[in-house]
Amino acid sequence: NAGVMQNPRHLVRRRGQEARLRCSPMKGHSHVYWYRQLPEEGLKFMVYLQKENIIDESGMPKERFSAEFPKEGPSILRIQQVVRGDSAAYFCASSPQSPGHTDTQYFGPGTRLTVL
Amino acid sequence: RKEVEQDPGPFNVPEGATVAFNCTYSNSASQSFFWYRQDCRKEPKLLMSVYSSGNEDGRFTAQLNRASQYISLLIRDSKLSDSATYLCVVRVRTGGFKTIFGAGTRLFVKA
């Protein structure tokens, strides 16, 4: 039973380019969460999605960032016109059900984005 | 004030030592509590949930004090392999639920 998969594991972009990060949840999981971790800091919630729906995007920057989780295929976190401050590890997590207070989120290995 | 605050660390301890991690949370609507472990450049992994009655898993003991809004993790007889960053995680009811991570406390266990 494959865990949460993320690709690419490492991504290098120049300022102004677009970054696309992909996340395939665990089999049977329909809830996906994206987090960002800056160096030496904790994880910060960005967005929570179910298939074809954004449920909570309160942690997403207002500009340049977008996320989707289509009916078929992985969830995508897109960052347009990247800047150096976007350099971070981006983790995806999935859970099998709505985030009740006891559910467990399973994390993928992360994508490390470096903006030159 | 951060919603979830942890000891800044790092902690440097010899093998066999007992280590205690402290965490406080500010939101009284917090419903559930967890400790995660994160190895260097890896993803966080659930270590244990924290219950009001306290719970133990081998060398690890977690405690929760709702009145003081305080969570702890105790590691006994620490091993070299315990070296990692320990993340305090709180789930807050906000209509739905939101998961908030502390910044983590790094532990180095040395021979």
Side-chain angles (χ1 to χ4, degrees), chain B residues 7 34-36 62 69 73 93 96 100 106 109:
Chain B
D7 294 327
F34 310 86
W35 285 101
Y36 276 72
Q69 298 187 180
L73 175 69
R93 189 174 194 104
I100 303 170
R106 188 170 289 182
V109 181

Side-chain angles (χ1 to χ4, degrees), chain A residues 33-91:
Chain A
Y33 313 81
W34 284 94
Y35 294 86
R36 176 165 63 176
Q37 187 174 33
L38 295 170
E40 306 302 320
E41 293 190 15
L43 278 75
K44 295 287 192 286
F45 167 79
M46 298 182 75
V47 62
Y48 159 45
L49 310 103
Q50 294 179 29
K51 285 283 186 181
E52 301 184 277
N53 287 303
I54 296 174
I55 307 302
D56 180 354
E57 57 181 348
S58 58
M60 288 279 270
K62 294 287 185 279
E63 297 177 348
R64 303 187 297 109
F65 285 72
S66 62
E68 62 177 9
F69 189 15
K71 188 176 181 181
E72 301 291 337
S75 175
I76 307 283
L77 179 68
R78 181 195 297 179
I79 311 173
Q80 296 177 299
Q81 300 174 337
V82 295
V83 301
R84 288 214 173 112
D86 297 333
S87 295
Y90 292 83
F91 289 99

